[in-house]
Amino acid sequence: MSSAETFAQAGLEVVPTGAALGAEVRGVDLRRLAEVEFAAVLDAWHTHAVLLFRGQSLTPDNLIGFSRRFGGLDHAPVQEHGQSIVAGRPELYIVSNVLDDAGKPIGSLGNGEAVWHTDMSYLPRPPKASMLYALEIPPVGGDTHFASMYAAYDSLPPALRARAQGLMVKHDGTYNSGGFVRAGVTPTDDPRTAPGHLHPLVCRHPETGRSMLYLGRRRMAYIDGLSLPESEALLDELWSYATQPALCWKNAWRVGDLVLWDNRCTMHRRDPFDAAARRVMHRTQVKGEAPPMA
Ligand code: SIN
């Protein structure tokens, strides 16, 4: 069956953003998704890499339930001030700048910019998918931007593409995307010895078969086997292609939005927002079935 037929049969509408990635899926309630609808969502996700579902009304258990349809869930990453999770639900990661009555953050990443990254790629087997659900959003700022790593790979000049092939890149586990040191990590200035994991710089997506750049995050990255200056220069050159505006799409959040992204072939970043405003989001991460592979 073609994608159009699958969507029509499922009674849902998939509206591409018109950018290099992303589509809005209309006509679904993620609390009760029939098998035929889920099959259509999966199909759209593989095609567009990032899906936006507006107007959802999800309890933590609803979010976990929808997330589990994609596979087992990873526990939330340990963050700057220890684990920030919903009590009894270690899979739920709270992204928030809000402080509780004792002045302790209820979540991670604060109100500053979160720089470009792939979630938890410093692990040997990073999550294949992440979802972010908006409970409270600031009136201005806090938009989340996504970049297609397929398009990044395709945009490389042939010589640079050939150079990247076969190289391994270290994904740093020292800093989170908000610039905070992860709990329990002693920072070092040397990316070669920092905690993290090596993955192929050019990977093949296990479902679509497409090639993509797999960069993770810029800070403390290192290309294995190169001198530090050579590694820095090559990374700078690759990054100058990876996040060009033409490869990106952003979501200006509304309460009730759920965004699902393919963590294997995208990166994302978040705009800063006013510290006095409240932003509360719940995130889940679906386990990767295999390590990223060339
Ligand atoms: C994240 O990096 O998962 C959070 C992005 C956001 O706060 O929009």
Side-chain angles (χ1 to χ4, degrees):
M1 213 189 300
S2 72
S3 295
E5 283 165 341
T6 316
F7 301 148
Q9 195 191 7
L12 53 81
E13 198 186 353
V14 177
V15 184
T17 61
L21 75 174
E24 182 181 343
V25 181
R26 297 181 184 156
V28 288
D29 179 343
L30 299 178
R31 292 172 300 185
R32 43 186 81 87
L33 207 57
E35 276 309 316
V36 64
E37 291 177 310
F38 183 68
V41 165
L42 212 51
D43 191 273
W45 183 53
H46 289 145
T47 305
H48 300 286
V50 180
L51 297 181
L52 165 65
F53 304 84
R54 290 213 190 269
Q56 302 298 314
S57 181
L58 304 177
T59 62
D61 285 340
N62 294 149
L63 176 56
I64 290 172
F66 174 60
S67 305
R68 283 209 177 117
R69 297 187 76 164
F70 292 80
L73 302 187
D74 274 323
H75 284 190
V78 175
Q79 290 293 18
E80 62 267 19
H81 40 71
Q83 197 77 268
S84 294
I85 54 168
V86 175
R89 294 183 184 83
E91 316 87 335
L92 259 193
Y93 175 51
I94 305 176
V95 177
S96 184
N97 64 318
V98 172
L99 306 180
D100 67 15
D101 292 344
K104 186 173 176 294
I106 65 162
S108 297
L109 299 182
N111 71 298
E113 179 184 359
V115 298
W116 285 112
H117 66 287
T118 292
D119 290 328
M120 298 158 72
S121 63
Y122 50 87
L123 299 177
R125 193 179 288 209
K128 67 175 180 182
S130 298
M131 302 183 203
L132 196 60
Y133 174 60
L135 295 155
E136 294 184 58
I137 52 153
V140 184
D143 296 347
T144 306
H145 303 243
F146 295 89
S148 164
M149 293 299 100
Y150 296 136
Y153 176 77
D154 292 345
S155 77
L156 298 180
L160 187 55
R161 206 184 289 178
R163 183 149 185 240
Q165 210 77 45
L167 293 174
M168 302 289 284
V169 60
K170 169 96 161 282
H171 291 234
D172 177 61
T174 311
Y175 297 97
N176 71 15
S177 57
F180 302 99
V181 175
R182 292 180 197 281
V185 175
T186 308
T188 150
D189 284 343
D190 190 341
R192 291 168 297 191
T193 55
H197 199 81
L198 287 172
H199 294 296
L201 186 52
V202 177
C203 291
R204 189 170 287 278
H205 194 287
E207 315 282 350
T208 66
R210 293 182 65 186
S211 294
M212 62 222 172
L213 264 186
Y214 194 61
L215 291 172
R217 62 194 71 214
R218 177 64 186 89
R219 188 172 186 182
M220 299 287 281
Y222 169 65
I223 297 183
D224 194 40
L226 301 191
S227 71
L228 213 42
E230 278 174 332
S231 166
E232 289 292 304
L234 181 52
L235 284 168
D236 283 345
E237 196 177 357
L238 291 167
W239 275 86
S240 73
Y241 290 93
T243 57
Q244 304 164 71
L247 314 186
C248 301
W249 167 78
K250 79 164 179 180
N251 188 38
W253 291 94
R254 297 182 198 164
V255 169
D257 282 359
L258 179 133
V259 174
L260 157 69
W261 61 92
D262 189 326
N263 197 46
R264 298 164 289 195
C265 59
T266 63
M267 295 197 296
H268 56 284
R269 63 169 284 276
R270 180 194 75 195
D271 290 334
F273 56 97
D274 183 354
R278 290 171 63 96
R279 187 176 190 268
V280 182
M281 321 284 280
H282 282 174
R283 198 186 86 188
T284 53
Q285 334 35 239
V286 184
K287 279 184 191 299
E289 279 135 17
M293 282 188 279

